Amino acid sequence: MVNTLKLPVGIDSFEKIRKNQFYYIDKTKLIEQLVETGGEVTLFTRPRRFGKTLNMSMLRSFFEIGADESLFES
C-alpha cells in the first residue's frame, strides 16, 4: 500500500504538521533570507489563506530555545 501524506486543512502549527506527517512545502529558505537581511522589522504581505501564520509558527519553532530540532530534518 502506498504511504500518502494527509493535507493539513486548517492546521497552522508547524510542529503539528511536521510531527503528524502532513503534506508540507518546505519554506525554510525564508529563515535564511530573514537572517541575511537583518532588518529590525519584517512585513509579510500575502493574501488571505497564504500561509502567513504557518510561516510565523515555523520561525517560532526555529528560534525558540529548547525547540525540537528534528522538525527541520528531511
Side-chain angles (χ1 to χ4, degrees), residues 47-65:
R48 287 180 50 192
R49 309 290 304 155
F50 220 80
K52 294 180 296 291
T53 304
L54 181 57
N55 282 337
M56 293 294 104
S57 177
M58 176 188 65
L59 289 170
R60 184 182 63 238
S61 295
F62 184 80
F63 287 111
E64 192 171 54
I65 295 173

Side-chain angles (χ1 to χ4, degrees), residues 29-47:
K29 268 296 213 196
L30 173 68
I31 297 169
E32 181 182 352
Q33 290 174 352
L34 289 173
V35 170
E36 284 179 354
T37 58
E40 284 187 41
V41 177
T42 302
L43 175 65
F44 291 97
T45 57
R46 294 282 184 249

Side-chain angles (χ1 to χ4, degrees), residues 11 13-22 71:
I11 300 174
S13 168
F14 179 74
E15 185 175 356
K16 282 183 185 177
I17 287 175
R18 295 294 289 162
K19 285 188 175 183
N20 296 318
Q21 298 182 352
F22 283 98
L71 297 174

